[in-house]
Amino acid sequence: MSYQEKNITVSLFSHVLILGFYLVKLFQMVQSGGLVANSLFSLWAIVIVSTILVNIFASILTNIILSIVHAIRTRSSEEEQFISDERDNLIGLKGMRISYITFSIGVLIAMLTFVFGQPPLVMFAVIVFFSITAEILGDAAQVYLYRRGF
Amino acid sequence: MGTSLVKNNIRKLRFHHDEMTQEQLAKKVGVTRQTIIAMEGEKYAPSLELAFRIARVFGVSLEEVFYYTPEDETEL
């Protein structure tokens, strides 16, 4: 498993955790009847900020842990080269395309909620759901392409 | 998708160059070992630049490393 593959796997798991957290909180709000603008927007902010922070810290931590593991396994101080080549870039682009397509479909579905007479809060909730789902599908596609070879 | 239509002789050429490892070739052309594995498994067709770099490492022409097999010929 290459460095990029490990990094994407960590990102995939962190996005799944964030989506889980978001859905649990959202269902708690719906059940308690507290689906109001203030609480939904604060949840939205928490989810977006945590997605950004988790992405940054997961990448840094993965880098540090992999360097330590590499040093222990090879018993040398020579740094492992975490290079990214043309295949990594192409896989990244394919993953990004899947993310964009998923998010576009999500925005369309969110707009459709208006057609069915749902309040604007539902639209915002659906947009956040699809933004995280898009990241998950993009990461999953990249992991799949890495596992298959390309 | 699946296997690429661009086939190659990388494995054979590595063998004839003092049994060069995938890691050594990867370092010489500036890619990861996984990319060499994907190319040898004919899952990934490299860019023209990378193809030239690989041919240069082995000191042969591009055609001696890579060749194209049209789809109708692979089905025969």
Side-chain angles (χ1 to χ4, degrees), chain A residues 1-5 78 81 83-88 90 94 145-146 148-150, chain B residues 1-2 26-27 30-35 38 43-50 53:
Chain A
M1 209 186 240
S2 69
Y3 162 69
Q4 271 78 19
E5 206 176 334
E78 187 191 327
Q81 288 189 334
I83 58 164
S84 149
D85 59 21
E86 57 177 47
R87 184 171 143 268
D88 296 317
L90 279 175
K94 283 192 175 192
L145 286 171
Y146 272 115
R148 201 182 62 170
F150 186 66
Chain B
M1 288 184 88
K27 274 191 179 163
V31 296
T32 58
R33 193 172 68 88
Q34 281 72 23
T35 299
K43 307 237 180 212
Y44 174 65
S47 68
L48 200 54
E49 191 189 336
L50 178 58
R53 281 208 300 264

Side-chain angles (χ1 to χ4, degrees), chain B residues 7 9 18 20-21 25 27 30-31 40 42-43 48-49 51 53 56 58 66-70 73 76:
Chain B
K7 312 286 179 197
N9 296 316
D18 298 331
M20 184 190 285
T21 63
L25 178 61
K27 274 191 179 163
V31 296
E40 284 190 359
E42 288 163 352
K43 307 237 180 212
L48 200 54
E49 191 189 336
R53 281 208 300 264
R56 203 181 160 92
F58 293 125
F66 297 97
Y67 55 97
Y68 180 70
T69 318
E73 282 181 30
L76 292 175

Side-chain angles (χ1 to χ4, degrees), chain A residues 94-108:
Chain A
K94 283 192 175 192
M96 204 183 287
R97 190 174 66 178
I98 288 169
S99 289
Y100 280 134
I101 291 169
T102 311
F103 187 63
S104 303
I105 293 168
V107 170
L108 195 73

